[in-house]
């Protein structure tokens, strides 16, 4: 049986789908899985060994260039590739109109959330199979239940495995334990103050950790350079391909991150991960993992570096007792 997964974005949403894939691999070894994803996240999907062909879409770019002939050729090429794969089933794990429109290109029956469960009810008009999944569950559990209903098994919700492993590679020249500080995020109200990142880096070096920072745009570069300048011994990684960052992240002794996709990735790798949520509620979409924890700023309050370090030490102690 051939199944196409449609979950095009964002990074966190894609990572939240991996436990459902891992369930399916254990319960339905007869199924071959492919995936359709936005092109910047293809490398993330490739981290799961059960995924075969990765079909890339560029919905955001296509929307901006609808009158461009190259756009229509790309869309036609995607449709042709999906049809040629002859899928037995498509699972739209996103529940959006845009994901449903991608899913129908495969010309196969589509399974997804029902009208009361989908993020955009209009998407369900394109589904042959619709399943009720409570909306008040974490995104990981919702997706696991959807896959189980669509593929005919009951997921073991007491266990949580992502099935992904870090890509090969590492950052040369780092001695000792690394603590990756993921300060970059998409919204201003999610960003922890640079002074708090600097104080956290100082506290980490006092504990014989090597802080690591990186960046993906000019604003993030300014923060990363400020931390590296203020705290000698901090390793500044230049803007790098996602696979290279994932390789470093997956081998870090500790990860401290804002509400961003890379923080979700760290928790999925099973790294001790402290997530700092300042403006969003982590209950339904926060990082999940064996050694992941979220610190939520109280109304009108803040998360302090001391609180972050205390939680990091708790997670490190917990992970040190886990079976190898």
């Amino acid at each position: 049986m051939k199944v196409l997964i449609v979950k095009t974005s964002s990074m966190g949403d894609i990572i939240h789908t991996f436990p459902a894939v891992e369930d399916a691999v254990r319960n339905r070894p007869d199924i071959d899985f492919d995936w359709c994803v936005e092109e910047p996240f293809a490398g993330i999907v490739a981290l799961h060994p059960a995924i075969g062909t990765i079909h890339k879409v560029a919905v955001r770019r296509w929307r901006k260039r609808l009158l461009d002939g190259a756009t229509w050729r790309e869309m036609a090429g995607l449709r042709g590739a999906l049809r040629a794969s002859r899928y037995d089933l498509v699972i739209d794990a996103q529940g959006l109109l845009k994901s449903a429109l991608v899913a129908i290109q495969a010309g196969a029956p589509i399974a997804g959330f029902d009208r009361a469960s989908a993020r955009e009810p209009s998407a369900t008009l394109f589904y042959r199979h619709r399943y009720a999944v409570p909306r008040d569950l974490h995104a990981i559990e919702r997706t696991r239940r959807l896959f189980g209903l669509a593929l005919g098994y009951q997921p073991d919700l007491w266990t949580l495995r992502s099935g992904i492993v870090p890509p090969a590679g590492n950052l040369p020249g780092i001695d000792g334990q690394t603590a990756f500080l993921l300060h970059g995020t998409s919204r201003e109200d999610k960003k922890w103050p640079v002074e708090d990142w600097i104080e956290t880096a100082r506290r980490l070096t006092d504990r014989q950790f090597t802080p690591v920072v990186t960046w993906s745009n000019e604003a993030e570069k300014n923060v990363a350079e400020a931390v590296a300048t203020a705290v000698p011994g901090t390793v500044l990684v230049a803007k790098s391909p996602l696979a290279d960052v994932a390789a470093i992240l997956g081998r870090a002794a500790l990860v401290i991150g804002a509400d961003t996709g890379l923080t979700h990735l760290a928790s999925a790798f099973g790294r001790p991960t402290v997530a700092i949520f300042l403006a969003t509620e982590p209950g339904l979409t926060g990082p999940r993992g064996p050694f992941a924890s979220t610190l939520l700023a109280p109304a009108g309050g803040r998360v302090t570096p001391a609180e972050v370090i205390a939680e990091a030490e708790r997670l490190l102690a917990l992970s040190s007792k886990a079976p190898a």
Side-chain angles (χ1 to χ4, degrees), residues 166-171 242-252 269:
N170 206 340
L171 185 65
L242 192 53
D244 292 347
V245 174
I248 304 167
L249 189 67
R251 291 166 178 80
F269 281 144

Side-chain angles (χ1 to χ4, degrees), residues 1-284:
M1 183 176 182
K2 292 187 67 175
V3 173
L4 175 68
I5 301 166
V6 175
K7 176 78 84 147
T8 60
S9 62
S10 61
M11 189 191 303
D13 290 341
I14 291 163
I15 293 164
H16 286 158
T17 306
F18 286 140
V21 176
E22 194 68 6
D23 290 340
V25 168
R26 292 198 302 271
N27 287 279
R28 292 293 307 270
D30 58 309
I31 296 179
D32 294 323
F33 288 100
D34 293 347
W35 197 309
C36 196
V37 67
E38 284 278 350
E39 51 189 2
F41 304 122
I44 297 296
V45 171
L47 294 174
H48 200 294
I51 303 302
T53 300
I54 300 173
H55 300 280
K56 301 175 186 177
V57 300
V59 175
R60 297 171 186 176
R61 176 165 54 82
W62 292 342
R63 282 174 176 169
K64 297 176 182 178
R65 302 178 181 177
L66 278 178
L67 299 181
D68 192 327
T71 296
W72 288 94
R73 286 191 292 273
E74 285 185 41
M75 292 191 293
L78 172 67
R79 179 184 176 89
L82 294 177
R83 296 280 172 132
S85 296
R86 299 184 177 276
Y87 293 107
D88 299 292
L89 181 69
V90 179
I91 299 179
D92 179 3
Q94 200 147 15
L96 300 177
L97 182 58
K98 72 172 185 178
S99 58
L101 293 175
V102 170
I104 63 175
Q105 304 307 311
I110 304 171
F113 298 107
D114 71 3
R115 187 172 182 83
S117 308
R119 290 166 62 187
E120 292 182 359
S122 58
T124 66
L125 296 172
F126 300 94
Y127 302 161
R128 180 179 300 182
H129 310 289
R130 304 173 184 88
Y131 300 101
V133 179
R135 296 192 65 170
D136 60 351
L137 300 175
H138 191 280
I140 290 175
E141 188 173 339
R142 275 171 49 83
T143 309
R144 294 178 75 182
R145 292 191 182 201
L146 173 63
F147 274 55
L149 291 166
L151 301 176
Y153 62 84
Q154 177 64 46
D156 178 7
L157 298 177
W158 292 101
T159 62
L160 180 64
R161 302 184 184 91
S162 70
I164 63 173
V165 295
N170 206 340
L171 185 65
I174 294 182
D175 297 322
Q177 301 183 102
T178 60
F180 212 136
L181 307 183
L182 300 172
H183 57 86
T185 188
S186 58
R187 283 169 37 186
E188 286 298 319
D189 59 353
K190 293 182 178 182
K191 293 180 179 179
W192 210 30
V194 62
E195 296 82 7
D196 288 340
W197 287 112
I198 290 171
E199 176 62 22
T200 299
R202 286 187 178 131
R203 289 172 179 258
L204 288 167
T205 57
D206 289 344
R207 290 161 173 78
Q208 284 71 56
F209 280 88
T210 299
V212 179
V213 291
T214 190
W215 52 277
S216 62
N217 57 45
E218 284 302 310
E220 292 178 10
K221 183 180 180 182
N222 292 336
V223 174
E225 289 179 341
V227 174
T229 299
V231 185
T234 298
V235 175
L236 175 59
V237 179
K239 182 178 180 179
S240 304
L242 192 53
D244 292 347
V245 174
I248 304 167
L249 189 67
R251 291 166 178 80
L254 172 67
V255 178
I256 298 171
D259 178 7
T260 182
L262 286 174
T263 305
H264 291 281
L265 184 59
S267 66
F269 281 144
R271 308 317 304 151
T273 304
V274 181
I276 303 166
F277 275 57
L278 303 179
T280 49
E281 170 57 52
L284 302 183

